[in-house]
Amino acid sequence: NFTPPNFAGTHFMKVGVGLTHTTFDGRNRSNTVRILRRYGTISQQIDFAGDGLLSRNTTEFSSFFEDKWTINDRLTLKDIANYRYLHFNLGQDLDLSSVVPPPGQTATVWIPLKEDQISNELQMTYEADKLTLIGGLYYWSESMEATTYVGETPTNGIWFWRAGESDGDSWAGFFNATYDFTDMFSGRLGGRYTHDDREIDSWTWIN
């Protein structure tokens, strides 16, 4: 938090950043399942292939900037901007699940994902003796891309591949009016309009 030199009113600003990184590695083991008949003979046997590999790592960066501009005793303008970046990787051995690979092959999945997201909100507040008015605009945008690989390993013997991209935009306008009739009673009227637009493209390849 910091207060810069006054110009055309007073400004109070906030800046923040955040960084997180998470890594997980593990292994899932399943033993052979035998279903026996009444007299002890084997009715059904289920064997599990693969080494049950599990892995995940996530890196996320976020930042924000806020400026509260007090123009005069009645009028205040606030701007809030945010940015977020996400990088995600998931690896899992699917031979120990219900996924059935082609004959003679194993199934290991690897899913890398990247996401960028920004938003900005502009808010104006007017305060009189009994009346408070708030109006503003909001914008949000997101871009995301991900790929799913299934094969012998995350990079070798790939027999299934699916990629996708998603882009989204949203903007909104809002207002709120509050009038204090007495110290105990007030009336409030507000509204918001939002427009969303999203496009998703995907491609699939099977060997």
Side-chain angles (χ1 to χ4, degrees):
N1 300 344
F2 61 97
T3 302
N6 295 341
F7 52 93
T10 59
H11 291 260
F12 182 71
M13 298 181 180
K14 297 180 181 180
V15 177
V17 296
L19 178 64
T20 59
H21 180 72
T22 304
T23 300
F24 168 80
D25 291 301
R27 195 174 296 275
N28 179 26
R29 295 189 179 275
S30 297
N31 296 321
T32 299
V33 177
R34 294 184 177 91
I35 302 175
L36 303 180
R37 297 185 180 91
R38 179 180 178 181
Y39 300 103
T41 58
I42 297 177
S43 172
Q44 184 179 357
Q45 178 171 312
I46 303 175
D47 296 313
F48 296 92
D51 57 5
L53 177 65
L54 300 171
S55 67
R56 184 186 68 187
N57 64 79
T58 304
T59 301
E60 181 176 358
F61 172 79
S62 60
S63 62
F64 78 93
F65 172 78
E66 177 181 330
D67 179 18
K68 183 179 181 181
W69 178 17
T70 304
I71 302 173
N72 52 47
D73 293 339
R74 296 183 180 272
L75 199 60
T76 301
L77 180 64
K78 182 183 292 186
D79 185 23
I80 306 172
N82 293 276
Y83 172 75
R84 176 175 178 263
Y85 170 78
L86 174 67
H87 188 193
F88 172 85
N89 286 284
L90 172 67
Q92 182 178 358
D93 184 356
L94 296 180
D95 290 317
L96 303 180
S97 70
S98 60
V99 175
V100 180
Q105 299 192 38
T106 59
T108 300
V109 66
W110 181 252
I111 305 175
L113 180 147
K114 293 183 179 180
E115 178 191 33
D116 285 282
Q117 187 181 110
I118 62 171
S119 66
N120 194 88
E121 180 176 332
L122 193 63
Q123 186 181 110
M124 177 76 76
T125 303
Y126 174 81
E127 295 181 293
D129 295 335
K130 294 186 177 183
L131 179 65
T132 300
L133 300 175
I134 301 176
L137 298 172
Y138 176 79
Y139 176 73
W140 173 89
S141 179
E142 178 191 60
S143 178
M144 181 171 59
E145 59 181 32
T147 307
T148 300
Y149 300 99
V150 181
E152 181 180 350
T153 70
T155 56
N156 296 320
I158 303 298
W159 51 268
F160 178 88
W161 173 88
R162 172 175 290 172
E165 296 179 353
S166 173
D167 295 295
D169 294 283
S170 176
W171 62 269
F174 59 90
F175 77 94
N176 184 84
T178 303
Y179 186 81
D180 298 323
F181 295 97
T182 66
D183 293 339
M184 300 289 293
F185 177 73
S186 62
R188 178 176 295 176
L189 177 66
R192 182 184 181 95
Y193 174 81
T194 302
H195 176 80
D196 295 323
D197 185 21
R198 178 170 290 279
E199 180 179 348
I200 300 175
D201 298 310
S202 63
W203 307 267
T204 301
W205 175 82
I206 300 176
N207 184 12

